[in-house]
């Protein structure tokens, strides 16, 4: 019933989600790159003789009925992945059977899908060969149609040039898209494309399916290679169609990078920001349902061409108080659908020694150079997703680095506000620039000395530098003195009660400052009970008692459906602990991220409307807030979900000797005690 008013400001949210950039008044035409700088070529390389300056140009690729590129003979981008597929048990005629996705016939016997893209060729010297950045957008958005205005910078090849500022709930993703302008100025060819079902790309939205959206992205790479071979793009393409290529994008635009890089060796490096490892764990964690975000994602795709199964799932999500995937879609097809969407599919194939496509060798992940960036307080794609991606990619042997920050997908209804995009002194955007220059432009490896292997954000100012993710293994934990004690807990939560009090399991000793950062582990864990008639779920997180106040650490909760009993970890966190702090376990019967109505669905979209109409007033001071708050209170009162959780938890607590501070907020010492301006905790 609330889809109709939400659609009135649907288009406004697209910009916040990393849309097509149409809010910028005009395209920018940056100055030509400064050639011959240290980052332009590897040491000792002989540069070819270069001709005169060639002006930059922008163009959109063709659609079925429009010649948009204006270049004679330039072909469109056409994917052989079918627009959609038919799933067993659903009465629709929509192409080949989805069960045949692993066969080549699935592609050769199906219709084509045209993909919408925008190409930005920077000013360059005739004969110069440039690297390519393939970019895509967030959910609800489309390709980048225009580049953002570029702030002035004295040395455009430096790593601290200012970028356009993001705003709103998803500011980090706006800033990430604005970084494309700076990369263009530095001499990267930018190709930004719309995922199927978005912008002017054809096909049904399949939520980044490895056999559909990933195949589409491969078609874009094929197209770029052809244009290079034909002299339409200033890139060096070898006989196998390989050229210098990096991937970039956030959220949904991060989701396309991981499976694409895993199956296509033409990808040289990736920079996925705020994305998932397993879509099942992101949206349907541990047999539960992240209903708030599910509702929002469905609302933002309303009016788009969605796979019929996704359409059914969105319809089911409109029912109040759905907490379990088994209740949302009893046939189990929903899990089958989402399990194909993420790097986790390929990890499962490798474990089963199964091929990605019929007739191939069993899948084995190739080494991939990846810079992973995630928000510790991101309540849609949490730190756990980044840790899972890191674990799997690291096993394959690539150069894999991970940093977290205080930004990402935020929910204002849960009183969340966007935080810093740095991890202590490690700046996210400087790190991306350094990474791409080394991996794609041949800059000296020493440039990456400023990018740590792992940096875990603790708050807006501090981050801890580690070699492994705390909580991952006993052997690694022993090296940094991570606490190894298992602490029991048992929490009973009644039908009509909110969060229980914080059940303390650990108290920080006097005269001590410690760090809680990494993955909390569980053992002998169980969930019993649930909503009357079944369908309940447990919502469990770590809490902190300090100075008479209780906090849910990093706003993180893990969902557990009662019938799912094989759990080994809670969502990762990062926090500074002071002497006297009490860390515990807290359970909820309902929560803003998980349940219908008391969700991001109303919170985020309403906040966007309010901030646009009455900037700075917030939800509570508006008529809309006056109407919604009592309704949410009533629904919360009847939102029964009684259960008991019990088990043991091991906390990733350790005495961090040195912590990195954001530049400008360092403690009053004369000099840094280690790399990344690390100082002792105060």
């Amino acid at each position: 019933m609330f889809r109709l008013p939400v659609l009135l400001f649907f288009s406004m949210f697209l910009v916040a989600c990393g849309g097509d950039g149409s809010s910028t008044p005009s395209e920018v035409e940056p100055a030509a790159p400064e050639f011959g700088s240290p980052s332009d070529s590897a040491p000792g390389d002989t540069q070819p003789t270069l001709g005169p300056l060639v002006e930059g140009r922008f163009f959109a690729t063709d659609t079925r009925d429009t010649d948009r590129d204006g270049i004679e003979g330039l072909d469109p981008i056409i994917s052989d992945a079918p627009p959609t597929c038919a799933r067993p048990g659903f009465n629709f005629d929509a192409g080949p059977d989805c069960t045949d996705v692993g066969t080549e016939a699935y592609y050769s016997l199906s219709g084509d899908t045209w993909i919408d893209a925008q190409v930005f060729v920077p000013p360059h010297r005739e004969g110069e060969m440039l690297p390519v950045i393939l970019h895509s957008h967030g959910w609800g958005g489309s390709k980048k149609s225009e580049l953002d205005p570029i702030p002035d910078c004295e040395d455009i090849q430096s790593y601290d040039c200012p970028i356009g500022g993001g705003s709103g709930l998803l500011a980090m993703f706006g800033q990430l898209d604005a970084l494309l302008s700076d990369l263009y100025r530095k001499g990267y060819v930018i190709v930004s494309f719309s995922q199927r079902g978005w912008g002017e790309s054809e096909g049904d939205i399949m939520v980044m399916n490895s056999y559909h959206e990933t195949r589409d992205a491969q078609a874009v790479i094929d197209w770029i290679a052809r244009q290079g071979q034909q002299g339409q793009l200033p890139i060096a393409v070898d006989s196998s169609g390989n050229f210098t290529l990096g991937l970039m994008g956030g959220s949904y635009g991060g989701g396309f990078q991981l499976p694409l890089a895993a199956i296509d060796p033409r990808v040289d490096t990736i920079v996925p920001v705020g994305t998932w490892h397993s879509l099942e764990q992101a949206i349907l964690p541990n047999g539960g349902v992240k209903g708030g975000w599910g509702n929002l994602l469905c609302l933002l795709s309303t009016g788009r061409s969605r796979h019929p199964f996704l359409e059914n799932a969105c319809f089911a999500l409109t029912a109040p108080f759905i907490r379990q995937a088994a209740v949302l879609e009893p046939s189990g097809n929903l899990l089958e659908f989402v399990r194909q969407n993420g790097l986790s599919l390929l990890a499962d194939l490798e474990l089963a020694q199964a091929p990605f496509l019929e007739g191939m060798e069993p899948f084995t992940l190739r080494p991939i150079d990846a810079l992973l960036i995630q928000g510790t307080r991101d309540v849609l794609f949490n730190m756990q997703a980044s840790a899972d991606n890191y674990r799997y990619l690291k096993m394959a042997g690539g150069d894999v680095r991970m940093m977290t920050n205080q930004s990402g997908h935020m929910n204002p209804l849960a009183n969340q506000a966007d935080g810093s995009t740095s991890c202590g002194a490690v700046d996210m955007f400087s790190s991306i620039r350094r990474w791409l220059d080394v991996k794609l432009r041949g800059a000296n490896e020493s440039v990456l000395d400023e990018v740590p292997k792992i940096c875990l954000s603790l708050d807006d100012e501090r981050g801890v530098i580690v070699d492994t993710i705390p909580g991952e293994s006993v052997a690694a934990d022993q090296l940094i003195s991570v606490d190894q004690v298992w602490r029991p807990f048992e929490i009973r939560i009644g039908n009509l009660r909110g969060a229980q009090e914080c059940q303390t399991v650990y108290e920080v000793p006097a005269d001590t400052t410690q760090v809680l950062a990494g993955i909390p582990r569980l053992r002998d864990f169980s969930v019993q009970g649930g909503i009357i008639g079944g369908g309940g779920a447990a919502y469990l997180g770590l809490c902190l008692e300090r100075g008479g106040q209780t906090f849910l650490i990093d706003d993180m909760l893990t969902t557990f459906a009662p019938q799912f009993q094989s759990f080994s970890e809670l969502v990762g966190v990062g926090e500074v602990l002071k002497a006297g702090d009490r860390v515990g376990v807290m359970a909820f019967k309902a929560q803003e991220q998980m349940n219908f109505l008391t969700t991001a669905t109303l919170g985020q979209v309403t906040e966007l409307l309010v901030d646009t109409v009455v900037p700075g007033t917030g939800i509570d001071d508006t008529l809309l807030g006056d109407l919604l708050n009592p309704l949410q209170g009533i629904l919360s009162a009847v939102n029964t979900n009684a259960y008991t959780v019990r088990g043991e938890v091991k906390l990733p607590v350790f005495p961090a000797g040195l912590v990195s501070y954001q530049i400008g907020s360092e403690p009053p010492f004369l000099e840094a005690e280690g790399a990344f301006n690390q100082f002792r905790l105060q």
Side-chain angles (χ1 to χ4, degrees):
M1 61 181 287
F2 1 110
R3 292 195 173 199
L4 202 53
V6 169
L7 291 178
L8 296 177
F9 47 95
F10 172 67
S11 60
M12 176 177 58
F13 200 95
L14 300 188
V15 177
C17 280
D20 65 3
S22 58
S23 60
T24 11
S26 62
E27 296 176 350
V28 296
E29 188 65 54
E34 295 180 3
F35 301 99
S37 66
S39 60
D40 278 335
S41 61
D45 281 358
T46 302
Q47 285 279 44
T49 302
L50 301 178
L53 185 68
V54 179
E55 291 186 359
R57 59 192 175 100
F58 307 159
F59 62 90
T61 56
D62 291 345
T63 63
R64 285 187 188 267
D65 54 5
T66 307
D67 180 2
R68 299 188 303 183
D69 57 52
I71 303 172
E72 185 177 354
L74 192 65
D75 57 335
I77 302 174
I78 302 176
S79 169
D80 65 353
T84 190
C85 60
R87 287 198 166 266
F90 288 88
N91 296 318
F92 64 92
D93 183 14
D97 196 321
C98 293
T99 58
D100 294 331
V101 292
T103 67
E104 280 298 332
Y106 179 74
Y107 301 105
S108 61
L109 300 179
S110 62
D112 293 327
T113 303
W114 286 44
I115 302 299
D116 171 34
Q118 187 83 17
V119 181
F120 304 90
V121 182
H124 59 282
R125 296 287 177 82
E126 189 175 285
E128 184 184 14
M129 300 291 102
L130 304 179
V132 178
I133 298 291
L134 182 59
H135 164 269
S136 199
H137 55 87
W139 183 266
S142 59
K143 69 178 185 183
K144 196 77 169 158
S145 296
E146 299 175 349
L147 293 178
D148 296 273
I150 303 178
D152 291 334
C153 184
E154 289 186 7
D155 178 9
I156 64 172
Q157 297 298 335
S158 67
Y159 299 113
D160 57 358
C161 283
I163 60 173
S167 61
L169 297 169
L170 304 174
M172 177 178 69
F173 300 113
Q175 288 178 285
L176 182 66
D177 285 354
L179 182 60
L180 293 173
S181 301
D182 183 65
L183 296 173
Y184 173 93
R185 173 169 60 181
K186 292 181 71 152
Y188 289 89
V189 175
I190 308 295
V191 179
S192 181
F193 74 103
S194 300
Q195 299 289 341
R196 63 169 47 219
W198 301 102
E200 295 185 72
S201 287
E202 297 179 337
D204 288 348
I205 298 168
M206 298 278 284
V207 204
M208 215 57 75
N209 184 279
S210 295
Y211 298 98
H212 289 83
E213 280 93 344
T214 300
R215 189 83 168 195
D216 298 340
Q218 286 188 286
V220 180
I221 298 176
D222 293 341
W223 181 89
I224 296 171
R226 287 197 303 273
Q227 307 324 307
Q229 291 166 336
Q230 296 167 14
Q232 297 286 4
L233 293 176
I235 61 175
V237 185
D238 66 19
S239 58
S240 64
N242 194 19
F243 55 95
T244 304
L245 175 65
L247 310 182
M248 202 172 93
S251 192
Y252 201 58
F256 90 96
Q257 299 180 43
L258 292 149
L260 175 60
I263 66 174
D264 199 316
R266 292 174 295 182
V267 176
D268 294 299
T269 191
I270 61 175
V271 185
V273 177
T275 194
W276 67 89
H277 172 77
S278 162
L279 193 63
E280 177 186 358
Q281 276 301 99
I283 304 297
L284 305 170
N286 302 322
V289 174
K290 198 175 284 186
W293 284 98
N295 272 258
L296 181 61
L297 297 177
C298 287
L299 286 168
L300 291 177
S301 60
T302 299
R304 307 301 307 182
S305 180
R306 299 189 293 213
H307 186 277
F309 187 75
L310 179 59
E311 199 75 43
N312 277 272
C314 284
F315 177 76
L317 275 170
T318 61
F321 315 135
I322 289 182
R323 296 184 179 85
Q324 290 188 18
V327 176
L328 176 65
E329 206 286 296
S331 72
N333 285 332
L334 182 60
L335 291 180
E336 178 193 347
F337 182 78
V338 299
R339 281 172 181 162
Q340 290 185 351
N341 302 352
L343 188 61
S344 58
L345 167 72
L346 301 169
D348 290 343
L349 290 176
E350 184 164 3
L351 185 63
Q353 297 185 340
F356 177 69
L357 286 174
E358 186 179 89
M360 288 184 171
E361 294 294 320
F363 179 80
T364 301
L365 184 67
R366 70 185 186 92
I368 301 170
D369 291 350
L371 176 59
L372 309 175
I373 301 174
Q374 206 85 359
T376 303
R377 297 187 301 116
D378 189 317
V379 287
L380 177 57
F381 303 134
N382 52 46
M383 174 183 158
Q384 197 72 23
S386 189
D388 288 341
N389 284 327
Y390 179 87
R391 291 165 179 161
Y392 186 41
L393 293 171
K394 196 69 177 174
M395 287 174 58
D399 182 0
V400 186
R401 309 193 190 192
M402 170 183 164
M403 66 175 289
T404 64
N405 58 30
Q406 299 292 309
S407 190
H409 300 87
M410 299 285 128
N411 178 8
L413 199 62
N415 297 314
Q416 281 195 309
D418 223 359
S420 170
T421 57
S422 69
C423 180
V426 183
D427 180 74
M428 165 183 168
F429 300 106
S430 171
S431 297
I432 293 174
R433 287 161 161 148
R434 291 173 179 277
W435 184 265
L436 295 176
D437 266 8
V438 171
K439 302 301 180 181
L440 302 180
R441 298 178 70 193
N444 192 287
E445 286 285 340
S446 63
V447 169
L448 291 183
D449 290 347
E450 302 299 320
V451 183
K453 296 296 184 183
I454 300 174
C455 183
L456 302 180
S457 176
L458 303 174
D459 51 37
D460 280 334
E461 296 183 348
R462 294 171 291 191
V464 62
I465 312 295
V466 290
D467 291 327
T468 60
I469 301 173
E472 279 219 285
S473 72
V474 173
D477 286 351
Q478 288 175 343
L479 295 177
I480 55 176
S481 302
V482 175
D483 187 88
Q484 294 295 306
V485 179
W486 289 95
R487 295 178 168 84
F489 64 89
E490 179 173 332
I491 303 174
R492 293 185 174 88
I493 192 161
N495 280 332
L496 300 177
R497 300 181 61 185
Q500 301 287 50
E501 63 183 45
C502 184
Q503 188 174 114
T504 301
V505 296
Y506 176 73
E507 184 171 352
V508 181
D511 302 322
T512 303
T513 303
Q514 297 178 326
V515 162
L516 170 66
I519 311 299
R521 312 297 300 190
L522 294 173
R523 74 177 183 187
D524 298 330
F525 179 79
S526 66
V527 183
Q528 296 177 344
I531 197 169
I532 297 173
Y539 306 122
L540 199 67
L542 295 181
C543 49
L544 175 65
E545 290 184 339
R546 174 184 293 167
Q549 292 184 297
T550 301
F551 308 93
L552 178 63
I553 295 178
D554 288 329
D555 307 314
M556 285 296 113
L557 286 179
T558 307
T559 302
F560 301 102
Q563 67 270 30
F564 282 67
Q565 301 295 335
S566 300
F567 305 120
S568 62
E569 54 194 35
L570 291 171
V571 173
V573 293
E575 193 75 39
V576 174
L577 300 179
K578 301 178 180 179
D581 283 351
R582 296 161 63 90
V583 180
V585 180
M586 179 180 283
F588 295 75
K589 68 178 179 64
Q591 209 269 347
E592 289 85 354
Q593 320 307 333
M594 311 299 179
N595 305 125
F596 186 75
L597 280 183
T598 56
T599 66
T601 306
L602 291 178
Q604 289 188 305
V605 179
T606 301
E607 185 79 354
L608 282 166
L609 177 63
V610 169
D611 284 347
T612 301
V613 178
V614 192
T617 59
I619 294 177
D620 293 336
D621 297 330
T622 67
L623 176 61
L624 189 56
D626 292 339
L627 292 174
L628 291 177
N629 289 338
L631 178 62
Q632 294 180 67
I634 293 170
L635 288 166
S636 179
V638 299
N639 194 0
T640 59
N641 185 31
Y643 60 85
T644 299
V645 288
R646 61 172 59 90
E648 294 181 306
V649 62
K650 185 168 66 171
L651 304 174
V653 173
F654 55 98
L658 300 175
V659 167
S660 177
Y661 284 75
Q662 191 173 50
I663 302 298
S665 63
E666 302 95 333
F669 295 116
L670 294 178
E671 59 184 33
E673 296 192 31
F676 309 107
N677 82 343
Q678 294 179 91
F679 299 92
R680 299 193 182 281
L681 270 172
Q682 297 296 299

